[in-house]
Amino acid sequence: MRGSPHYHHHNNNSPIQYQQYHQYHHGFGGGGGSGVGRRARPRHGWPEVAVAVYAAVAVAVTVCYWNGLRGDFVHDDIPAVAMNADVLGTGPLARVATNDFWGTPLSDPNSHKSYRPLTTLTFRLNHYVFGLQPVWFHVVNVILHGFCSVLFARLCISVAGLEHKYGLLAGIVFAVHPIHTEAVTGIVGRADVLACLFFLLSFLTYHDTRWKRRERVLLSCTFGALSMLAKETGLMVLLVNLAYDIYSSWGHIKKSFVEHKQTEEYNSFTRRVSKTIAATIALLTFRLYMLQGSLPKFTEPDNPAAFHDSSRVRFFSYSYVAAFNLWLMLCPSALSHDWQMNSLPLVTSPYDIRNIGTCVAAAFLLCITCKILSDMDAQKHSPQVLAVLLLIIPYIPASNLLVTVGFVVAERVLYIPSMGLILLCVYGLQTILNHKKSSNWVVMTMKFFVGFTLLLFVARTVLRNSDWMSRPTIIKAGLKTLPHNAKMHYNWANYQRDVGDTQTAVNHYREALRLWPSYASAHNNLGTLMERSRDAEHHFLAAIRYSPGHVNAHYNLGQVYRLMNRTKDAVAMLERCLMLNNGYTAAYLLLAKLHTGSQTGRLLKHVAAYQPKHPEHQARYARWLRDNRRVAEALIYYKRAMAVNMEHRESVLGLARVLRDRGQKSRVYRLITWVYNYPT
């Protein structure tokens, strides 16, 4: 079977004292979420450390991501960027507003429904200015990550109220955290980084008392909309704004309810909240409208828990995934670009030991929540509140709580939530080191731990960047981290098949099927490497059984039946293939070989009309017309082929033969002479 033509493969990480709190709380210039009733923070606070923050973050980002700039397009970068007409500029600019992130119309039933036009526009601009050079896509990602790190440091100092050195530390930790490599070094991760940039601008603007209140809310909602257009999860910033404003204004809210009197501060709060809620509803309505009446379609390998019949298993599994994500942010040692299939086996029993980790994470969040509720009146620990909001709310869209997502774990979705955990940890560090009872030994130990952690993070990030260098390096890294992941073996088999190592490819396809027996694409691709027709037929039939809509498997099975001289079965398979995808050109061409007479002509004519920019299809139909003595029509199609490519050899020779058959030898001579002298 190795000689069989045209098999189609499937291709597819000390406490701030109360007075000090009032000094540092909310806003670039001080003041609470409402901008009223708070003691103003000194105006010179941020500019004094701005240069140091910018410089320190720039150095940290450069050190961590310098080696990642040499990376190629890998994994999702290829379909989303390198092969996306909306990025390459081969399609109208207006289609960016109606296509999904992968360049498919949102109205298409097979669309992924991921609507991120702002990110796609930045890719398109990247390509327009620098061409399809990966290095410049990486450079832009790293620059955006640097801006996010600076803005996060600003948030920690100006809104959360951390001391300057601890706010700077938080910005540096964010800059070097290994969990961010997928979002920064993976080019398509720009969606998360860009969304985070506008997320931070929206949050900071909402609490910037230097703006007029109307302008502040309007600008904040505008940044929130831009964040959503970069990636859907960006919309959650408006909920974070609302939640933190409620906490900040709790004193005014409580006073108004207790005294039954609406103060100016309370009225200002209600106006802000009303406008933000209205903007949230409007943006959510727009996003739902862009779904074009259908939700994205995912398969069991994408998110196995979502397809399990037991609600108890789904609850246990989703809860464990949330706890696992929290652990990844704390200890990013095991990172992978793909966590699908059985990377995290389902939690099917309440006695599964992994439930202990889930309970610990739940208890941790419950304790913090209780402390926040008890602190609503005194508001001495606003960094804790903000940290929890940043940790939980942006993660909700990925939690399967509202909608089913198409992944198990995706490190890129932790880009924004990681800010919450970093803020929480740095605030805890500040509390310990500033505590009067902290001994010198404790202080030195904590400083050593922080320095050692930063060095580990930098080293891990640099090493992880090297994994994203190329297709083989990212697959090998994933295979090392998740050797029990069937998709890793499938991807490695695809690579080995492409480089010509057939036996290694077969071995890994078989291992993928051992780990996930219903892996339709693995069955299909393994079938294309089988020597015996019977073995190939077995795998193609298995692919169709597990995935009835697998177009390539139908086509490949048609190829096998043709080679086995089972013409009737071959025709049936190819016709089924065209029912699934009426634009499958290869199936039309193979059917044309199996049919005779006018049926062959109709099929070839359909292909020529369907793909007018492919001269070989025009020439193929023209040759059939010439063989059937329809010379005048053949002349038309040969000319159409040459209009696309004047040097298309088959068309030139075919046109010359047609002219010769018509006795126009002088035109044949002129044609050959003209083609010979045609400038290349």
Side-chain angles (χ1 to χ4, degrees), residues 195-238:
C196 182
L197 178 68
F198 289 113
F199 184 106
L200 288 166
L201 288 172
S202 175
F203 184 83
L204 289 168
T205 304
Y206 192 92
H207 297 277
D208 186 354
T209 55
R210 294 176 301 178
W211 290 83
K212 293 180 181 179
R213 293 173 189 170
R214 291 183 181 179
E215 295 174 347
R216 189 171 39 152
V217 175
L218 176 62
L219 191 58
S220 175
C221 291
T222 301
F223 283 133
L226 292 174
S227 184
M228 184 192 76
L229 293 176
K231 188 173 182 179
E232 298 81 351
T233 52
L235 180 63
M236 306 308 288
V237 67
L238 300 184

CSV table of all heavy atoms in Angstrom, one decimal, residues 195-238:
chain,number,residue,atom,x,y,z
A,195,ALA,N,-5.6,40.6,25.4
A,195,ALA,CA,-6.8,40.7,26.3
A,195,ALA,C,-6.4,41.2,27.7
A,195,ALA,O,-7.1,42.0,28.3
A,195,ALA,CB,-7.5,39.4,26.4
A,196,CYS,N,-5.3,40.7,28.2
A,196,CYS,CA,-4.8,41.1,29.5
A,196,CYS,C,-4.4,42.5,29.5
A,196,CYS,O,-4.7,43.2,30.5
A,196,CYS,CB,-3.6,40.2,30.0
A,196,CYS,SG,-3.0,40.6,31.6
A,197,LEU,N,-3.8,43.0,28.5
A,197,LEU,CA,-3.4,44.4,28.4
A,197,LEU,C,-4.6,45.3,28.5
A,197,LEU,O,-4.6,46.2,29.4
A,197,LEU,CB,-2.7,44.6,27.1
A,197,LEU,CG,-2.2,46.1,26.8
A,197,LEU,CD1,-1.1,46.5,27.7
A,197,LEU,CD2,-1.8,46.2,25.3
A,198,PHE,N,-5.6,45.1,27.8
A,198,PHE,CA,-6.8,45.9,27.9
A,198,PHE,C,-7.6,45.6,29.2
A,198,PHE,O,-8.3,46.5,29.7
A,198,PHE,CB,-7.7,45.7,26.6
A,198,PHE,CG,-7.1,46.3,25.4
A,198,PHE,CD1,-6.7,45.4,24.3
A,198,PHE,CD2,-7.0,47.6,25.2
A,198,PHE,CE1,-6.2,46.0,23.2
A,198,PHE,CE2,-6.4,48.2,24.1
A,198,PHE,CZ,-6.0,47.3,23.1
A,199,PHE,N,-7.5,44.4,29.7
A,199,PHE,CA,-8.1,44.1,31.0
A,199,PHE,C,-7.5,45.0,32.0
A,199,PHE,O,-8.3,45.6,32.8
A,199,PHE,CB,-7.8,42.6,31.3
A,199,PHE,CG,-8.4,42.1,32.5
A,199,PHE,CD1,-9.5,41.2,32.5
A,199,PHE,CD2,-7.9,42.4,33.8
A,199,PHE,CE1,-10.1,40.7,33.6
A,199,PHE,CE2,-8.5,41.9,34.9
A,199,PHE,CZ,-9.5,41.0,34.8
A,200,LEU,N,-6.2,45.1,32.1
A,200,LEU,CA,-5.5,45.9,33.1
A,200,LEU,C,-5.9,47.4,32.9
A,200,LEU,O,-6.1,48.2,33.8
A,200,LEU,CB,-4.0,45.7,33.0
A,200,LEU,CG,-3.6,44.4,33.6
A,200,LEU,CD1,-2.1,44.1,33.2
A,200,LEU,CD2,-3.7,44.3,35.1
A,201,LEU,N,-5.9,47.9,31.6
A,201,LEU,CA,-6.2,49.2,31.3
A,201,LEU,C,-7.6,49.6,31.8
A,201,LEU,O,-7.9,50.6,32.3
A,201,LEU,CB,-6.0,49.5,29.8
A,201,LEU,CG,-4.6,49.6,29.3
A,201,LEU,CD1,-4.6,49.7,27.8
A,201,LEU,CD2,-3.9,50.8,29.9
A,202,SER,N,-8.5,48.6,31.5
A,202,SER,CA,-9.9,48.8,31.9
A,202,SER,C,-10.0,48.9,33.5
A,202,SER,O,-10.7,49.8,34.0
A,202,SER,CB,-10.8,47.7,31.4
A,202,SER,OG,-12.1,47.8,31.9
A,203,PHE,N,-9.4,48.0,34.2
A,203,PHE,CA,-9.5,48.0,35.6
A,203,PHE,C,-8.8,49.3,36.2
A,203,PHE,O,-9.4,49.9,37.1
A,203,PHE,CB,-8.8,46.8,36.2
A,203,PHE,CG,-8.9,46.7,37.7
A,203,PHE,CD1,-10.1,46.1,38.2
A,203,PHE,CD2,-7.9,47.1,38.5
A,203,PHE,CE1,-10.2,46.0,39.6
A,203,PHE,CE2,-8.0,47.0,39.9
A,203,PHE,CZ,-9.2,46.5,40.4
A,204,LEU,N,-7.6,49.6,35.7
A,204,LEU,CA,-6.9,50.8,36.2
A,204,LEU,C,-7.7,52.1,35.9
A,204,LEU,O,-7.8,53.0,36.8
A,204,LEU,CB,-5.5,50.9,35.6
A,204,LEU,CG,-4.5,49.8,36.1
A,204,LEU,CD1,-3.3,49.8,35.3
A,204,LEU,CD2,-4.2,50.0,37.6
A,205,THR,N,-8.3,52.2,34.8
A,205,THR,CA,-9.1,53.4,34.4
A,205,THR,C,-10.3,53.5,35.3
A,205,THR,O,-10.6,54.6,35.7
A,205,THR,CB,-9.5,53.3,32.9
A,205,THR,OG1,-8.3,53.1,32.1
A,205,THR,CG2,-10.2,54.6,32.5
A,206,TYR,N,-10.9,52.4,35.6
A,206,TYR,CA,-12.1,52.4,36.4
A,206,TYR,C,-11.8,53.0,37.8
A,206,TYR,O,-12.7,53.6,38.4
A,206,TYR,CB,-12.7,51.0,36.6
A,206,TYR,CG,-14.0,50.9,37.2
A,206,TYR,CD1,-15.2,50.9,36.4
A,206,TYR,CD2,-14.2,50.8,38.6
A,206,TYR,CE1,-16.4,50.8,36.9
A,206,TYR,CE2,-15.5,50.7,39.1
A,206,TYR,CZ,-16.6,50.7,38.3
A,206,TYR,OH,-17.9,50.7,38.8
A,207,HIS,N,-10.6,52.8,38.3
A,207,HIS,CA,-10.2,53.3,39.6
A,207,HIS,C,-9.3,54.5,39.6
A,207,HIS,O,-8.6,54.8,40.5
A,207,HIS,CB,-9.6,52.2,40.4
A,207,HIS,CG,-10.5,51.0,40.6
A,207,HIS,ND1,-11.4,51.0,41.7
A,207,HIS,CD2,-10.7,49.9,40.0
A,207,HIS,CE1,-12.1,49.9,41.6
A,207,HIS,NE2,-11.7,49.2,40.6
A,208,ASP,N,-9.2,55.2,38.4
A,208,ASP,CA,-8.3,56.3,38.3
A,208,ASP,C,-9.1,57.6,38.5
A,208,ASP,O,-10.0,58.0,37.7
A,208,ASP,CB,-7.8,56.4,36.8
A,208,ASP,CG,-6.7,57.5,36.7
A,208,ASP,OD1,-6.6,58.3,37.6
A,208,ASP,OD2,-6.1,57.6,35.6
A,209,THR,N,-8.9,58.2,39.7
A,209,THR,CA,-9.7,59.3,40.1
A,209,THR,C,-9.3,60.6,39.4
A,209,THR,O,-10.0,61.7,39.6
A,209,THR,CB,-9.6,59.6,41.6
A,209,THR,OG1,-8.2,59.7,41.9
A,209,THR,CG2,-10.1,58.4,42.4
A,210,ARG,N,-8.3,60.6,38.5
A,210,ARG,CA,-7.9,61.8,37.8
A,210,ARG,C,-8.9,62.0,36.7
A,210,ARG,O,-8.9,63.1,36.1
A,210,ARG,CB,-6.5,61.6,37.3
A,210,ARG,CG,-5.4,61.6,38.4
A,210,ARG,CD,-4.0,61.3,37.8
A,210,ARG,NE,-4.0,60.1,37.0
A,210,ARG,CZ,-2.9,59.7,36.3
A,210,ARG,NH1,-1.8,60.4,36.4
A,210,ARG,NH2,-2.9,58.6,35.7
A,211,TRP,N,-9.6,61.0,36.2
A,211,TRP,CA,-10.6,61.2,35.2
A,211,TRP,C,-11.9,61.6,35.8
A,211,TRP,O,-12.2,61.3,36.9
A,211,TRP,CB,-10.8,59.9,34.4
A,211,TRP,CG,-9.6,59.5,33.5
A,211,TRP,CD1,-8.5,58.8,33.9
A,211,TRP,CD2,-9.5,59.7,32.2
A,211,TRP,NE1,-7.6,58.6,32.9
A,211,TRP,CE2,-8.2,59.2,31.8
A,211,TRP,CE3,-10.3,60.3,31.2
A,211,TRP,CZ2,-7.8,59.2,30.5
A,211,TRP,CZ3,-9.8,60.4,29.9
A,211,TRP,CH2,-8.6,59.8,29.5
A,212,LYS,N,-12.7,62.3,35.0
A,212,LYS,CA,-14.1,62.6,35.4
A,212,LYS,C,-14.8,61.3,35.5
A,212,LYS,O,-14.5,60.3,34.8
A,212,LYS,CB,-14.7,63.5,34.4
A,212,LYS,CG,-14.1,64.9,34.4
A,212,LYS,CD,-14.9,65.8,33.4
A,212,LYS,CE,-14.2,67.2,33.4
A,212,LYS,NZ,-14.9,68.1,32.4
A,213,ARG,N,-15.8,61.2,36.4
A,213,ARG,CA,-16.5,59.9,36.6
A,213,ARG,C,-17.1,59.4,35.4
A,213,ARG,O,-17.0,58.2,35.1
A,213,ARG,CB,-17.5,60.1,37.7
A,213,ARG,CG,-16.9,60.4,39.1
A,213,ARG,CD,-17.9,60.8,40.1
A,213,ARG,NE,-17.3,61.3,41.3
A,213,ARG,CZ,-18.0,61.8,42.3
A,213,ARG,NH1,-19.3,61.9,42.2
A,213,ARG,NH2,-17.4,62.2,43.4
A,214,ARG,N,-17.8,60.2,34.6
A,214,ARG,CA,-18.4,59.7,33.3
A,214,ARG,C,-17.3,59.2,32.4
A,214,ARG,O,-17.5,58.1,31.8
A,214,ARG,CB,-19.2,60.9,32.7
A,214,ARG,CG,-20.4,61.3,33.5
A,214,ARG,CD,-21.2,62.3,32.7
A,214,ARG,NE,-22.4,62.8,33.4
A,214,ARG,CZ,-23.2,63.7,33.0
A,214,ARG,NH1,-23.0,64.3,31.8
A,214,ARG,NH2,-24.3,64.0,33.7
A,215,GLU,N,-16.3,60.0,32.2
A,215,GLU,CA,-15.2,59.6,31.3
A,215,GLU,C,-14.6,58.3,31.8
A,215,GLU,O,-14.2,57.4,31.0
A,215,GLU,CB,-14.2,60.7,31.1
A,215,GLU,CG,-14.7,61.9,30.5
A,215,GLU,CD,-13.7,63.1,30.5
A,215,GLU,OE1,-12.7,62.9,31.2
A,215,GLU,OE2,-13.9,64.0,29.8
A,216,ARG,N,-14.4,58.2,33.1
A,216,ARG,CA,-13.8,57.0,33.7
A,216,ARG,C,-14.5,55.7,33.3
A,216,ARG,O,-13.9,54.7,32.9
A,216,ARG,CB,-13.6,57.2,35.2
A,216,ARG,CG,-12.8,56.2,35.8
A,216,ARG,CD,-12.5,56.6,37.3
A,216,ARG,NE,-13.6,57.1,38.0
A,216,ARG,CZ,-13.8,57.1,39.3
A,216,ARG,NH1,-13.0,56.4,40.0
A,216,ARG,NH2,-14.8,57.6,39.8
A,217,VAL,N,-15.8,55.7,33.6
A,217,VAL,CA,-16.6,54.5,33.3
A,217,VAL,C,-16.7,54.2,31.9
A,217,VAL,O,-16.5,53.1,31.4
A,217,VAL,CB,-18.0,54.7,33.9
A,217,VAL,CG1,-18.9,53.5,33.6
A,217,VAL,CG2,-17.9,54.8,35.5
A,218,LEU,N,-16.8,55.2,31.0
A,218,LEU,CA,-16.9,55.0,29.6
A,218,LEU,C,-15.6,54.5,29.1
A,218,LEU,O,-15.6,53.5,28.3
A,218,LEU,CB,-17.2,56.4,28.9
A,218,LEU,CG,-17.3,56.4,27.4
A,218,LEU,CD1,-18.3,55.4,26.9
A,218,LEU,CD2,-17.5,57.8,26.8
A,219,LEU,N,-14.5,55.1,29.5
A,219,LEU,CA,-13.2,54.6,29.0
A,219,LEU,C,-12.9,53.2,29.5
A,219,LEU,O,-12.4,52.3,28.8
A,219,LEU,CB,-12.1,55.5,29.5
A,219,LEU,CG,-10.7,55.3,28.8
A,219,LEU,CD1,-10.8,55.5,27.3
A,219,LEU,CD2,-9.7,56.4,29.4
A,220,SER,N,-13.3,52.9,30.7
A,220,SER,CA,-13.1,51.6,31.3
A,220,SER,C,-13.9,50.5,30.5
A,220,SER,O,-13.4,49.4,30.2
A,220,SER,CB,-13.5,51.5,32.7
A,220,SER,OG,-13.5,50.2,33.2
A,221,CYS,N,-15.2,50.8,30.2
A,221,CYS,CA,-16.0,49.9,29.4
A,221,CYS,C,-15.4,49.7,28.0
A,221,CYS,O,-15.5,48.7,27.4
A,221,CYS,CB,-17.4,50.4,29.4
A,221,CYS,SG,-18.3,50.3,31.0
A,222,THR,N,-14.9,50.8,27.4
A,222,THR,CA,-14.3,50.8,26.1
A,222,THR,C,-13.1,49.8,26.1
A,222,THR,O,-13.0,48.9,25.2
A,222,THR,CB,-13.8,52.1,25.6
A,222,THR,OG1,-15.0,53.0,25.6
A,222,THR,CG2,-13.2,52.1,24.2
A,223,PHE,N,-12.2,49.9,27.1
A,223,PHE,CA,-11.1,49.0,27.2
A,223,PHE,C,-11.6,47.6,27.4
A,223,PHE,O,-11.0,46.6,26.9
A,223,PHE,CB,-10.2,49.4,28.3
A,223,PHE,CG,-9.3,50.6,28.0
A,223,PHE,CD1,-9.1,51.6,28.9
A,223,PHE,CD2,-8.6,50.6,26.8
A,223,PHE,CE1,-8.3,52.7,28.6
A,223,PHE,CE2,-7.7,51.6,26.5
A,223,PHE,CZ,-7.6,52.7,27.4
A,224,GLY,N,-12.7,47.4,28.2
A,224,GLY,CA,-13.3,46.1,28.4
A,224,GLY,C,-13.8,45.5,27.1
A,224,GLY,O,-13.6,44.3,26.9
A,225,ALA,N,-14.4,46.3,26.2
A,225,ALA,CA,-14.8,45.8,24.9
A,225,ALA,C,-13.6,45.4,24.1
A,225,ALA,O,-13.7,44.4,23.4
A,225,ALA,CB,-15.6,46.9,24.2
A,226,LEU,N,-12.6,46.2,24.1
A,226,LEU,CA,-11.4,45.8,23.3
A,226,LEU,C,-10.7,44.5,23.9
A,226,LEU,O,-10.3,43.7,23.1
A,226,LEU,CB,-10.3,47.0,23.4
A,226,LEU,CG,-10.7,48.3,22.7
A,226,LEU,CD1,-9.7,49.3,23.0
A,226,LEU,CD2,-10.8,48.0,21.2
A,227,SER,N,-10.8,44.4,25.2
A,227,SER,CA,-10.3,43.1,25.8
A,227,SER,C,-11.1,41.9,25.3
A,227,SER,O,-10.6,40.9,25.0
A,227,SER,CB,-10.3,43.2,27.3
A,227,SER,OG,-9.8,42.1,27.9
A,228,MET,N,-12.4,42.1,25.2
A,228,MET,CA,-13.3,41.0,24.7
A,228,MET,C,-13.0,40.7,23.3
A,228,MET,O,-13.1,39.6,22.8
A,228,MET,CB,-14.7,41.4,24.9
A,228,MET,CG,-15.7,40.3,24.5
A,228,MET,SD,-17.4,40.8,24.4
A,228,MET,CE,-17.4,41.7,22.9
A,229,LEU,N,-12.7,41.8,22.5
A,229,LEU,CA,-12.4,41.6,21.0
A,229,LEU,C,-11.1,41.0,20.8
A,229,LEU,O,-10.8,40.5,19.7
A,229,LEU,CB,-12.6,42.9,20.3
A,229,LEU,CG,-14.0,43.5,20.2
A,229,LEU,CD1,-14.0,44.8,19.6
A,229,LEU,CD2,-15.0,42.5,19.5
A,230,ALA,N,-10.2,41.0,21.8
A,230,ALA,CA,-8.9,40.3,21.7
A,230,ALA,C,-9.1,38.8,22.1
A,230,ALA,O,-8.5,38.0,21.4
A,230,ALA,CB,-7.9,41.0,22.7
A,231,LYS,N,-9.9,38.6,23.1
A,231,LYS,CA,-10.3,37.2,23.5
A,231,LYS,C,-11.5,37.3,24.4
A,231,LYS,O,-11.7,38.2,25.2
A,231,LYS,CB,-9.2,36.5,24.2
A,231,LYS,CG,-9.5,35.0,24.4
A,231,LYS,CD,-8.3,34.2,25.0
A,231,LYS,CE,-8.7,32.8,25.1
A,231,LYS,NZ,-7.6,32.0,25.7
A,232,GLU,N,-12.4,36.3,24.2
A,232,GLU,CA,-13.7,36.4,24.9
A,232,GLU,C,-13.6,36.6,26.4
A,232,GLU,O,-14.5,37.3,26.9
A,232,GLU,CB,-14.5,35.1,24.6
A,232,GLU,CG,-14.8,34.8,23.1
A,232,GLU,CD,-13.6,34.2,22.3
A,232,GLU,OE1,-12.5,34.2,22.9
A,232,GLU,OE2,-13.8,33.8,21.2
A,233,THR,N,-12.6,36.0,27.0
A,233,THR,CA,-12.5,36.1,28.5
A,233,THR,C,-12.3,37.5,28.9
A,233,THR,O,-12.5,37.8,30.1
A,233,THR,CB,-11.4,35.2,29.0
A,233,THR,OG1,-10.2,35.5,28.3
A,233,THR,CG2,-11.8,33.7,28.8
A,234,GLY,N,-11.9,38.4,28.0
A,234,GLY,CA,-11.6,39.8,28.4
A,234,GLY,C,-12.9,40.5,29.0
A,234,GLY,O,-12.7,41.5,29.8
A,235,LEU,N,-14.1,40.0,28.6
A,235,LEU,CA,-15.3,40.6,29.1
A,235,LEU,C,-15.4,40.6,30.6
A,235,LEU,O,-16.0,41.4,31.3
A,235,LEU,CB,-16.5,39.9,28.5
A,235,LEU,CG,-17.9,40.4,28.9
A,235,LEU,CD1,-18.1,41.9,28.5
A,235,LEU,CD2,-19.0,39.5,28.3
A,236,MET,N,-14.7,39.6,31.2
A,236,MET,CA,-14.8,39.4,32.7
A,236,MET,C,-14.2,40.6,33.5
A,236,MET,O,-14.5,40.7,34.7
A,236,MET,CB,-14.1,38.1,33.1
A,236,MET,CG,-14.5,36.9,32.3
A,236,MET,SD,-16.3,36.6,32.4
A,236,MET,CE,-16.6,36.1,34.1
A,237,VAL,N,-13.5,41.5,32.8
A,237,VAL,CA,-12.9,42.6,33.6
A,237,VAL,C,-14.0,43.5,34.1
A,237,VAL,O,-13.9,44.1,35.1
A,237,VAL,CB,-12.0,43.4,32.7
A,237,VAL,CG1,-12.7,44.1,31.5
A,237,VAL,CG2,-11.2,44.4,33.5
A,238,LEU,N,-15.1,43.6,33.4
A,238,LEU,CA,-16.3,44.4,33.8
A,238,LEU,C,-16.9,43.8,35.1
A,238,LEU,O,-17.3,44.6,36.0
A,238,LEU,CB,-17.3,44.5,32.7
A,238,LEU,CG,-16.8,45.2,31.4
A,238,LEU,CD1,-18.0,45.3,30.4
A,238,LEU,CD2,-16.1,46.5,31.7
